[in-house]
Amino acid sequence: MKKGQICEGVVERYTFPNKGYVTLEDREICIKGALKGQRIRFLVKKLRKGSGEGRLLEVLEKSSMEDAVPICPHFGVCGGCAYQTMSYENQLKLKEEQVKELLDKVITDYQWEGIKGSPVREAYRNKMEFSFGDERKDGPLALGMHKKGSFHDIVTVDHCRIVDGDYNLILRTVLDFYEEKKIPFYKKMQRIGVLRHLVIRQAACSKDILVNLVTTTQDKDTGEHLDDGELAKSLCLEELKNKLLSLELHGRITGILHTHNDSLSDAVIPEKIVTVYGQDYIYEKILGLTFKISPFSFFQTNSLGAEVLYETARSYIGDTKDKVIFDLYSGTGTIAQMLAPVAEKVIGVEIVEEAVEAARENAALNALTNCEFIAGDVLKVIDEIEEKPDIIVLDPPRDGVHPKALDKIIAYGVNEIVYISCKPTSLIRDLEIFKARGYKVVKACAIDQFVNTLHCETVVKLSI
């Protein structure tokens, strides 16, 4: 076997998030996107002693787990969904196996409560960030998701099945509009162009919709930066607004926004947000509480799935009467507000100031007076809080808790910690530290909020 060689083999094992392994000669080759049981053809990319990496070229024989016909015409080309060839039962089985396998590597003697599925399997996402680009170099304008395995190419996903049909109609309308106007997309390498992203949010409870167009402030012809009025005219925003408002949708567009983003990053950076029409927020209801969601505030992307997640977390926390709870990495304060009615006080810490402002506003909206939200890095802020927690809830970003912050959290010595993780590998790393410092995992479960994709949430209860 040598680099660049095309080989065939059967995938013998599969690990989180999407790595299949084929043994050939004296090496185990890792191939992303290959499922256990598939016979595949792959290109050898890297070779090391006893191991290597390959790129999937073709599935020659399906896995026994692949028992479904993909429901989306974009599947296989779009880089979003990975499991549409599997029934939902098999998706859950696979995700449960992956999470438990990771947990079992570092902990023993705990109660495993399996995996809880999403209450909805289609049209479950309440937010999507679509990218402008082209499907091939110098091809026609596209708007959608990155192609599978590609950093540059974009596939138009106007029949996506994980969102409501309103998303697809709005996407197609915006794409056709700017294709006709011949407005160019922003080319990251050359740093020229205008159109960057289309962000759509929709409340599950009301179907109210926010449409947010993200562009640079460049003139499409000269590249010079335009002021607000010139930019709105160049992008024909008034005409676009009228087109969008005339659409026959399931829901109702309550706000159309224009976000200016001249940053070099490919992420959506809101340097300025202009309201073209209506309002810059929608309301969502979770477990009887109301939350105001602004254009870029964090909120779980599966509203009904979030109810399952938060009910599970609340049950793991147990008795909260007369107790002070720290909700670290609190986002817009969703968990804090779920706990506030049955606690003495809840203190949320979140680094994103917009999310903290939203959390404070939501607490007032829900008439909760025993919530306090602090803007800042958990690593620094917890040194400044006078109160001491009885219980700590952790819901960190994908990379987990900063090691120095983890030391400070453990130093509180609370009897109970509930850790919510959206990336099991980060969770495992942090659990090893908790274990070394005297904590043990009492129980754990996985919760699927991302049907047809690689991801799921994990909830763990620790005690000392």
Side-chain angles (χ1 to χ4, degrees), residues 1 4-11 21-24 27-32 34 39-45 47 52-60:
M1 190 191 314
Q5 183 177 344
I6 294 176
C7 301
E8 294 181 10
V10 176
V11 181
Y21 294 86
V22 173
T23 301
L24 286 180
R27 290 184 174 91
E28 188 178 49
I29 310 298
C30 174
I31 301 106
K32 285 187 177 180
R39 173 174 287 279
I40 61 170
R41 180 178 292 120
F42 62 94
L43 174 72
V44 178
K45 292 170 57 181
L47 288 174
E53 294 179 20
R55 177 164 61 86
L56 180 64
L57 298 177
E58 184 182 3
V59 176
L60 302 174

Side-chain angles (χ1 to χ4, degrees), residues 204-220:
C205 64
S206 64
K207 297 300 182 183
D208 286 351
I209 302 166
L210 276 185
V211 179
N212 188 2
L213 178 70
V214 183
T215 76
T216 67
T217 62
Q218 295 181 30
D219 179 87
K220 68 181 181 68

Side-chain angles (χ1 to χ4, degrees), residues 42-97:
F42 62 94
L43 174 72
V44 178
K45 292 170 57 181
K46 295 180 182 178
L47 288 174
R48 306 180 189 90
K49 185 177 180 180
S51 66
E53 294 179 20
R55 177 164 61 86
L56 180 64
L57 298 177
E58 184 182 3
V59 176
L60 302 174
E61 294 179 18
K62 289 185 177 182
S63 163
S64 60
M65 296 189 74
E66 296 183 274
D67 56 351
V69 177
I71 60 173
C72 178
H74 310 300
F75 180 75
V77 180
C78 170
C81 293
Y83 293 155
Q84 284 196 20
T85 56
M86 301 166 63
S87 64
Y88 192 50
E89 290 70 26
N90 278 345
Q91 290 185 38
L92 292 178
K93 180 181 177 183
L94 179 60
K95 291 182 181 185
E96 179 180 0
E97 287 176 354

Side-chain angles (χ1 to χ4, degrees), residues 59 63 67 85 89 108 115 162 209 224 234 251 253 273 286 288 313 353 363 379 388 444 462:
V59 176
S63 163
D67 56 351
T85 56
E89 290 70 26
T108 56
I115 187 168
I162 64 174
I209 302 166
E224 295 180 358
S234 172
I253 295 176
I273 304 174
I286 299 286
E353 290 190 14
L379 176 60
K388 300 301 179 186
L462 299 114

